[in-house]
């Protein structure tokens, strides 16, 4: 919204320096700084309010990690800080006439609301199970359906809506409309729903250690921001031989806001955490990653870009599947890991929480670099 005002002033009065805001890089930098400022400065007041309202983390006594029991008095629902720090700068600096702007904001906000309801039931209603699984999935499916319908039927996307870049293969794109253009939505829309649901849940699973989800989210957001920038420029997309997506550069500004918000949130969320993001933050962040990858036609890269989230989810699937299999076959369930998600496995092995988190950050950085290398290693 602020960009629209500055744009109008630039056209009508040409004040010195205002032309700089026509550049995506300028607006992205300002948005990142604004998000960081909001999360740090407003974050303290929100944490104080959460403490006053006694909105504290609910720790299950049967979790099997004694060091986590001391976190029971830590305020949760800190995802409110992230949502404000992401959405306010995005609304200020993204173009309001872009469908990319409204779809990424819609996905992030709605899944943030779903997460907020889940947190509210846990901490206010004292129901440790939180929002019923079917209602949570219903919210994720609804968001995925809306996004899928928009990306498939919106006129601006008609020429490339069902295409997706295949990593490590040059000039190769998968086309989900292999049943024909008339039935392309039959495959594409369920795929969108799956991605949104899977990535939001994966991010939620990762939010188990102080600073883990926020730090890895900042890294993933930075990588997706780079992809958004190069995809929205004809020169870079032509040089890198990737799909040119007119207007997708606006997503760079959202990614910059997300990175700034997560970095600011780490001010309070690093060990020992003063606040947890809760489902309010993790579902919103995960949904935004899924939506960004889909809008940039890079969803096949998500297992690399969001590799930490992916591994956390796979560890849970392996543990659950193997336990059920061995229980059925031998009458007693066996486990592959000491505890899942996998970050708890390393806790059980005696590694300090902060060391696990930093090592996961390092792995996330390496995976981010690998995902960028796919632009040329083809």
């Amino acid at each position: 919204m602020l960009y629209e005002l500055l744009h109008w002033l630039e056209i009508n009065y040409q004040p010195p320096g205002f032309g700089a805001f026509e550049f995506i890089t300028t607006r992205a930098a300002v948005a990142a700084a604004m998000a960081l400022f909001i999360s740090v400065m407003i974050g303290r007041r929100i944490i104080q309010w959460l403490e006053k309202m006694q909105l504290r983390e609910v720790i299950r006594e049967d979790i099997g990690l004694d060091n986590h029991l001391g976190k029971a008095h830590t305020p949760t629902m800190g995802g409110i800080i992230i949502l404000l720090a992401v959405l306010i700068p995005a609304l200020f600096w993204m173009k309001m006439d872009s469908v990319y702007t409204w779809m990424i904001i819609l996905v992030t906000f709605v899944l943030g609301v779903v997460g907020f309801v889940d947190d509210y039931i846990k901490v206010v209603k004292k129901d440790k199970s939180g929002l019923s699984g079917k209602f949570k999935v219903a919210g994720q499916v609804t968001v995925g359906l809306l996004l899928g319908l928009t990306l498939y039927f919106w006129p601006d996307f008609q020429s490339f809506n069902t295409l997706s870049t295949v990593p490590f293969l040059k000039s190769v794109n998968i086309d989900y409309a292999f049943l024909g253009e008339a039935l392309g939505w039959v495959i594409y829309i369920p795929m969108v729903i799956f991605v949104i649901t899977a990535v939001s849940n994966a991010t939620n699973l990762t939010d188990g250690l102080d600073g883990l989800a926020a730090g890895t989210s900042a890294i993933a957001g930075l990588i997706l921001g780079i992809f958004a920038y190069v995809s929205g420029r004809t020169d870079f997309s032509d040089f890198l031989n990737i799909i040119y997506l007119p207007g997708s550069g606006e997503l760079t500004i959202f990614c910059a806001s997300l990175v700034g918000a997560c970095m600011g949130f780490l001010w309070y969320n690093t060990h020992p955490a003063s606040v947890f993001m809760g489902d309010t933050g993790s579902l919103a962040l995960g949904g935004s990653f899924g939506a960004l990858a889909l809008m940039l036609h890079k969803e096949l890269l998500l297992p690399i870009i969001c590799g930490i989230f992916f591994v956390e989810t796979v560890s849970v699937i392996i543990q659950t599947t193997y336990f059920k299999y061995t229980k059925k076959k031998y009458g007693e369930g066996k486990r592959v890991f000491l505890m899942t998600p996998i970050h708890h496995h390393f806790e059980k092995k005696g590694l300090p929480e902060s060391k696990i988190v930093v090592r996961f950050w390092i792995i996330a950085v390496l995976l981010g670099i690998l995902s960028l290398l796919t632009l040329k290693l083809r």
Side-chain angles (χ1 to χ4, degrees):
M1 291 180 286
L2 184 57
Y3 163 75
E4 308 294 340
L5 173 61
L6 296 176
H7 179 66
W8 180 83
L9 291 172
E10 166 65 18
I11 292 176
N12 291 278
Y13 300 103
Q14 292 86 42
F18 276 43
F21 292 102
E22 295 298 321
F23 295 99
I24 288 174
T25 49
T26 302
R27 288 186 282 134
V30 174
M34 187 176 181
L36 181 62
F37 178 83
I38 290 173
S39 56
V40 172
M41 301 306 295
I42 297 180
R44 170 53 59 189
R45 293 187 177 275
I46 292 178
I47 293 171
Q48 290 173 348
W49 177 77
L50 292 172
E51 291 175 337
K52 181 180 179 181
M53 299 299 294
Q54 297 186 346
L55 302 177
R56 296 167 179 163
E57 181 71 6
V58 177
I59 304 294
R60 292 170 50 185
E61 295 181 359
D62 60 346
I63 190 173
L65 293 168
D66 294 338
N67 61 313
H68 280 241
L69 297 178
K71 299 183 179 185
H73 298 294
T74 305
T76 188
M77 300 173 74
I80 297 172
I81 301 170
I82 296 176
L83 282 176
L84 290 174
V86 171
L87 296 180
I88 292 175
L91 285 169
F92 268 45
W93 297 108
M94 294 178 76
K95 290 183 178 179
M96 292 295 102
D97 60 353
S98 171
V99 65
Y100 287 113
T101 298
W102 292 109
M103 289 313 300
I104 191 60
I105 287 175
L106 176 67
V107 170
T108 305
F109 177 76
V110 173
L111 287 178
V113 170
V114 173
F116 178 84
V117 173
D118 189 32
D119 287 335
Y120 180 84
I121 293 173
K122 289 178 182 176
V123 302
V124 177
K125 299 297 183 180
K126 307 301 180 184
D127 184 350
K128 295 181 181 180
S129 60
L131 183 65
S132 173
K134 62 181 180 181
F135 289 115
K136 185 183 293 186
V137 171
Q140 294 166 324
V141 169
T142 301
V143 169
L145 179 62
L146 289 173
L147 179 63
L149 289 171
T150 302
L151 293 178
Y152 187 81
F153 290 107
W154 196 267
D156 293 346
F157 303 142
Q158 290 296 305
S159 60
F160 48 76
N161 56 3
T162 57
L163 296 178
S164 184
T165 301
V166 178
F168 302 108
L169 297 179
K170 187 175 183 179
S171 302
V172 177
N173 297 310
I174 187 173
D175 191 345
Y176 296 107
F178 53 81
L179 296 177
E181 291 186 8
L183 295 175
W185 62 272
V186 174
I187 303 297
Y188 182 74
I189 293 179
M191 183 276 298
V192 172
I193 293 173
F194 170 77
V195 169
I196 294 295
T197 304
V199 182
S200 58
N201 284 330
T203 309
N204 185 233
L205 285 173
T206 306
D207 184 30
L209 298 179
D210 297 350
L212 178 57
T216 48
S217 292
I219 296 166
L222 175 61
I223 302 303
L224 286 165
I226 294 173
F227 276 109
Y229 185 70
V230 298
S231 297
R233 290 183 56 124
T234 54
D235 50 355
F236 285 156
S237 58
D238 182 63
F239 174 72
L240 296 170
N241 199 21
I242 58 176
I243 303 171
Y244 169 55
L245 306 171
S248 67
E250 292 300 308
L251 294 174
T252 307
I253 298 161
F254 178 88
C255 291
S257 298
L258 188 150
V259 172
C262 288
M263 294 300 290
F265 187 72
L266 282 172
W267 187 273
Y268 303 108
N269 186 236
T270 47
H271 185 73
S274 301
V275 66
F276 300 137
M277 69 169 67
D279 287 9
T280 307
S282 60
L283 289 183
L285 288 172
S288 68
F289 295 142
L292 286 165
L294 288 162
M295 287 189 276
L296 296 172
H297 300 261
K298 299 293 186 293
E299 63 274 8
L300 296 181
L301 268 174
L302 276 173
I304 302 177
I305 298 173
C306 298
I308 295 296
F309 307 146
F310 180 75
V311 170
E312 297 273 21
T313 304
V314 170
S315 71
V316 174
I317 295 173
I318 291 174
Q319 185 89 320
T320 304
T321 303
Y322 186 70
F323 185 85
K324 290 181 178 179
Y325 169 76
T326 53
K327 187 173 183 179
K328 182 178 180 181
K329 186 171 183 178
Y330 303 110
E332 181 181 358
K334 298 181 180 180
R335 294 175 172 82
V336 177
F337 305 102
L338 297 176
M339 189 176 180
T340 56
I342 198 169
H343 56 256
H344 290 319
H345 169 79
F346 293 110
E347 276 194 291
K348 284 282 194 178
K349 290 179 72 69
L351 270 69
E353 182 172 343
S354 56
K355 181 170 287 188
I356 298 170
V357 170
V358 172
R359 287 180 176 178
F360 274 43
W361 287 352
I362 294 170
I363 295 171
V365 170
L366 294 174
L367 290 171
I369 294 171
L370 175 62
S371 66
L372 292 176
L373 287 175
T374 62
L375 291 170
K376 293 302 293 179
L377 295 180
R378 294 188 289 166

